[in-house]
Amino acid sequence: MAHRANHAMRVAMHSSAGTVDVDGFTYEWELRREPQWSDIDGWKGMAIALLQKNMQRGALLEFPPPKRLLKGLQRGRLQINDAIIARGIRAALEAGWEPESRGKPMVFTVDAEGN
């Protein structure tokens, strides 16, 4: 049984979309950009799109590039989990994201932990 749970956890870490409940609301998230190199900006971190279920205005969380890439090391596995997504949602809400309003998605820069 433990092996199956461990496998499910590994699968969850590699998913590129999902839902998470935060403070009684359900949010959908989707990986929009993996860490990538830009000739203009250098390394850019991953970007996660957020949308509160049945609401219109989304948000985009921009993460810093992983330290290993800045050091010239190989690309590692993406570290995405519900806790990081939930922290990012709370950070965006505290910074002024209003999912029930209209308008273009708002962009928020967060740290590697989603804060």
Side-chain angles (χ1 to χ4, degrees), residues 25-27 50-59 89 92-94 96-103 106 108:
F25 296 97
T26 300
Y27 295 84
L50 302 174
L51 187 64
Q52 187 177 314
K53 201 165 185 131
N54 301 320
M55 293 295 163
Q56 296 187 334
R57 190 170 203 182
I89 289 167
L93 292 168
E94 287 174 17
W97 178 36
E98 296 176 348
E100 66 282 353
S101 67
R102 294 176 178 265
M106 298 179 72
F108 300 95

